[in-house]
Amino acid sequence: MEFTYNSYGRLITLLGDNAYEISNYKNFENKLKPVILRHDIDWSIDKGLRLAEFEASLGVSSTYFVMVTSPFYNIAERNNIEKLKKIVKLKHEIGLHFDELNYSEDCYNANEGIEGLVQKEATILGTILNTKVSSVSMHRPSEETLNMDYQFEGIINSYSKKFFREFKYVSDSRGRWRENVCEIISSNKYNRLHILTHAFLYSVEGENISDATKKFINSANKERYKMVADNITNVDELVTIHEVR
């Protein structure tokens, strides 16, 4: 499967052709053959929004997991708030993407463990976007986390036993499907599917993960220029966009 929007669209069509019903973490029990579509926004809210718009054009709703502690984007920045709210308006759900390695052992102890930190981040994300955050996915989960079957009050853990073991879980992590997702869908071997994709991998023409990563890194200076322009009057008198490499 190529990492293009058209290929992703064909995957959605294939799901429908095999009688799978697009579901979420709360309504799947009402479906005979549910499939939960999940997207982790690790690097770029812009790429998340583009995929959300494409899904909406197909009549598809899914869950986009957003980091509160991302080193790549600030969820409290005005433009990012608008983009994330637009994802919600497109009838998608926003969940929390939690990085368990972001905190020291002292932080875990002070917040009564992982649940306290998850609840705090969910509250922050929900407050900023004025929406209810009721699901969480772990960023690069440890083996211990995958085996713990964490249950959080009022927040569904996408890596709980129910969704990670009882559903057939398939992921495109690091730009590689570890199993052939199209064959899995077509086989009709599984009555419940849980599919994770990463929005930054997808584009119109299609790129491998190396090219997608290079493009993301090389775009950083122009993104920084836009931020500076929003905060300094007539920044082009100091530096023009053409001088940015």
Side-chain angles (χ1 to χ4, degrees):
M1 175 178 166
E2 295 180 334
F3 289 97
T4 66
Y5 296 121
N6 283 339
S7 290
Y8 185 76
R10 287 193 290 272
L11 182 145
I12 298 299
T13 299
L14 186 62
L15 287 166
D17 289 344
N18 286 273
Y20 285 100
E21 299 178 82
I22 307 297
S23 310
N24 59 43
Y25 293 101
K26 290 171 277 193
N27 70 2
F28 70 92
E29 291 181 338
N30 299 324
K31 316 288 186 182
L32 290 176
K33 289 181 66 177
V35 54
I36 296 174
L37 302 175
R38 160 190 156 201
H39 313 286
D40 289 350
I41 300 183
D42 292 343
W43 292 359
S44 170
I45 291 176
D46 283 329
K47 292 299 288 284
L49 176 56
R50 285 177 209 157
L51 185 58
E53 290 171 334
F54 180 71
E55 282 189 316
S57 74
L58 302 176
V60 169
S61 296
S62 58
T63 305
Y64 286 78
F65 286 97
V66 180
M67 299 182 74
V68 168
T69 59
S70 170
F72 300 114
Y73 57 79
N74 177 6
I75 59 165
E77 192 269 328
R78 182 188 63 192
N79 291 327
N80 286 334
I81 291 174
E82 291 175 356
K83 291 167 188 173
L84 292 171
K85 285 187 173 182
K86 186 170 183 181
I87 291 176
V88 174
K89 287 181 180 178
L90 291 169
K91 301 188 186 308
H92 302 295
E93 182 178 344
I94 294 293
L96 170 66
H97 198 28
F98 181 80
D99 187 355
E100 59 186 290
L101 297 180
N102 191 64
Y103 297 97
S104 66
E105 185 175 345
D106 287 343
C107 285
Y108 278 98
N109 292 336
N111 289 277
E112 299 181 352
I114 191 170
E115 174 156 9
L117 290 169
V118 166
Q119 295 287 359
K120 282 190 174 183
E121 286 199 8
T123 298
I124 291 170
L125 180 59
T127 300
I128 289 173
L129 299 181
N130 192 29
T131 189
K132 172 66 176 174
V133 175
S134 57
S135 57
V136 61
S137 74
M138 302 301 176
H139 181 56
R140 296 176 299 176
S142 64
E143 195 66 31
E144 179 183 1
T145 293
L146 293 177
N147 291 327
M148 281 299 293
D149 193 27
Y150 287 118
Q151 304 294 316
F152 305 121
E153 184 177 352
I155 299 176
I156 297 167
N157 175 16
S158 67
Y159 279 113
S160 65
K161 179 181 177 182
K162 179 184 291 296
F163 298 108
F164 192 59
R165 306 293 185 191
E166 296 177 12
F167 279 65
K168 176 60 180 176
Y169 176 82
V170 199
S171 168
D172 67 356
S173 295
R174 290 187 61 83
R176 178 171 63 89
W177 293 96
R178 285 157 179 77
E179 299 177 79
N180 189 314
V181 63
C182 295
E183 287 184 2
I184 287 172
I185 294 169
S186 299
S187 72
N188 280 299
K189 183 179 177 181
Y190 305 97
N191 286 329
R192 293 179 169 184
L193 297 180
H194 185 184
I195 300 176
L196 164 63
T197 62
H198 293 78
F200 79 91
L201 290 170
Y202 293 82
S203 62
V204 173
E205 299 297 330
E207 301 166 324
N208 60 39
I209 190 172
S210 177
D211 290 339
T213 302
K214 287 176 187 175
K215 181 179 287 187
F216 175 75
I217 292 172
N218 290 332
S219 69
N221 285 344
K222 289 188 177 180
E223 290 297 320
R224 179 62 61 84
Y225 183 88
K226 292 176 185 176
M227 295 175 190
V228 172
D230 285 340
N231 288 275
I232 296 180
T233 303
N234 299 328
V235 68
D236 57 323
E237 295 178 359
L238 306 174
V239 180
T240 69
I241 188 66
H242 303 293
E243 295 177 86
V244 177
R245 298 289 186 266

